[in-house]
């Protein structure tokens, strides 16, 4: 029987920041022991909570909520801007340590990974404890490790009691440890799916597991059968090796004010597209699938994706597609968070001719020139006139580093 680990860093960004500060100054305050968050800009009251300390939880501060809201709950909250380069190094240091035990490692996100156990039969829990202890002692942060015979159950187990714990979850444990959990805790069950399930009286994972799979398929098609399998602990994917360094390029922003007009929404999308296009050209990629997502002030998320007629790295073409998708799904309500993601990446060294070649060529020289000017004189040195007096920066969007790893699909 194969054994898998799911290793999840506890409050990753905040833990990594705390460990880094303590490595520079052992007498520094440990951010994990005070009400603290990793987030945006405190002075501008902009951004969202990316990670929080355990003391911050006492004030009901939640990951994903606006900085402004968190400060209302606790005005003395310590706010630290994110340092993505630091987090990438910390993530890699964890991978390097685990590589000493097994070469079968699959990144799930910047702070999570799967690994397949290699060692004597029956020693998997002992090895998991050794990995957990070494990460804490040598790297200065803590992890939870879920252990099971498949990746799904290992992931479920890693979400049990935190922090700094190893949790096994095997077949005999499912009825006791997993089935009593709320159905929303199951992987692949999002808010909308949870609402549908609860409307039909399915409130726990066990109740979902007890449903007739044929009924689930008739009701929710393939996704219904997938979550039924997951509720019963059925999942058989293997570790995905040799993942490409980039699967997608993404940028997002949380605005410091409600964006209410379509004109301003389009400006935000254009500003994000400027960043996406600049990054694609810098990495020598073209992308052919573009998705737009946004979140309103009630935290409802919307997303739409569509394939372009040809691979591109041109800002104007990406923006036109983003604006088109946005217009198709926006209902006119005020918005706060916007993101654009470009996937199906290919090298820009290999170019496929198409009927749209003239449109592609029309923008290429202009945007290459703009890239050079911005690189030499700064990103705000040249920008489009639509941003004049708009209150919206002409290039916005934090890098969504996690999405640049090959993420877990519906089959893990």
């Amino acid at each position: 029987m194969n054994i898998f680990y799911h290793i999840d860093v506890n409050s990753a960004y905040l833990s990594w920041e705390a460990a880094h500060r303590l490595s520079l100054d052992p007498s520094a305050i440990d951010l994990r022991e005070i009400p603290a968050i990793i987030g945006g800009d405190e002075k501008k009251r902009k951004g969202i909570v990316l990670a929080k300390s355990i003391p911050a939880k006492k004030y009901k501060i939640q990951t994903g909520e606006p900085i402004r809201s968190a400060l209302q709950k606790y005005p003395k909250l310590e706010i630290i801007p994110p340092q993505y380069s630091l987090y990438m190094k910390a993530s890699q240091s964890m991978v390097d340590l685990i590589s000493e035990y097994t070469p079968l490692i699959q990144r799930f996100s910047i702070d999570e990974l799967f690994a397949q156990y290699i060692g004597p039969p029956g020693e998997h829990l002992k090895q998991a404890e050794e990995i957990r202890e070494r990460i804490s002692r040598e790297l200065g942060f803590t992890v939870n490790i879920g252990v099971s015979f498949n990746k799904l159950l290992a992931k479920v187990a890693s979400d049990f009691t935190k922090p700094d714990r190893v949790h096994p979850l095997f077949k005999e444990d499912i009825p006791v440890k997993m089935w009593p959990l709320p159905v929303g805790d199951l992987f692949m069950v999002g808010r909308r799916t949870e609402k549908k399930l609860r409307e039909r009286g399915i409130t726990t994972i066990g109740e979902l597991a007890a449903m007739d799979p044929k009924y689930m398929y008739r009701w929710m098609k393939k996704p219904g059968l997938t979550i039924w399998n997951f509720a019963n602990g059925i999942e058989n994917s293997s570790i995905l090796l040799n993942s490409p360094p980039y699967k997608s390029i993404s940028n997002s922003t949380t605005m410091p004010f409600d964006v209410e007009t379509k004109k301003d929404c389009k400006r935000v999308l254009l500003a994000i597209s400027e960043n996406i296009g600049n990054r694609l050209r810098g990495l020598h990629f073209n992308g052919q699938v573009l998705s737009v997502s946004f979140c309103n002030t009630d935290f409802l998320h919307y997303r739409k994706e569509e394939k372009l007629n040809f691979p591109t790295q041109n800002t104007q073409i990406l923006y036109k597609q983003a604006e088109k998708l946005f217009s198709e799904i926006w209902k006119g309500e005020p918005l706060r968070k916007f993101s654009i993601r470009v996937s199906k990446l290919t090298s820009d060294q290999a170019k496929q001719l198409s009927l749209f070649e003239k449109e592609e060529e029309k923008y290429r020289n202009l945007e290459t020139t703009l890239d050079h000017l911005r690189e030499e004189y700064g990103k705000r040195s040249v920008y489009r006139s639509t941003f004049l007096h708009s209150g919206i920066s002409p290039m916005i969007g934090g890098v969504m580093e996690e999405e640049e790893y090959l993420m877990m699909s519906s089959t893990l």
Side-chain angles (χ1 to χ4, degrees), residues 311-357:
T312 187
Q313 57 184 208
N314 289 146
T315 296
Q316 189 66 18
I317 296 172
L318 295 171
Y319 164 67
K320 285 183 178 180
Q321 179 73 359
E323 193 276 329
K324 171 182 174 291
L325 296 179
F326 173 82
S327 298
E328 291 173 357
I329 56 176
W330 184 47
K331 298 180 181 179
E333 73 270 48
L335 303 178
R336 271 298 180 93
K337 183 175 181 179
F338 299 76
S339 67
I340 297 175
R341 178 172 179 254
V342 179
S343 56
K344 198 176 181 182
L345 304 181
T346 55
S347 170
D348 66 0
Q349 304 303 307
K351 183 160 178 60
Q352 182 178 358
L353 297 177
S354 75
L355 295 174
F356 301 92
E357 182 76 17

Side-chain angles (χ1 to χ4, degrees), residues 18-80:
H20 175 65
R21 293 186 176 201
L22 289 169
S23 71
L24 298 176
D25 179 8
S27 64
I29 296 174
D30 190 334
L31 296 173
R32 293 165 290 193
E33 297 178 357
I34 64 172
I37 63 168
I38 302 296
D41 188 319
E42 179 182 11
K43 292 181 180 179
K44 294 182 180 178
R45 300 171 71 87
K46 176 184 177 182
I48 61 173
V49 176
L50 299 176
K52 61 185 181 297
S53 66
I54 291 177
K57 291 182 181 180
K58 296 178 182 179
Y59 298 95
K60 297 183 180 180
I61 293 170
Q62 299 179 351
T63 301
E65 77 170 296
I67 296 286
R68 184 184 299 270
S69 172
L71 284 169
Q72 288 173 349
K73 295 176 180 177
Y74 187 69
K76 295 182 180 179
L77 187 67
E78 185 77 16
I79 300 174
I80 300 93

Side-chain angles (χ1 to χ4, degrees), residues 364-382:
R364 186 182 303 132
N365 294 333
L366 170 62
E367 292 184 344
T368 300
T369 301
L370 291 175
D371 288 342
H372 290 324
L373 289 171
R374 288 165 177 162
E375 183 177 355
E376 185 170 355
Y377 299 107
K379 288 189 174 182
R380 297 182 65 92
S381 59
V382 183

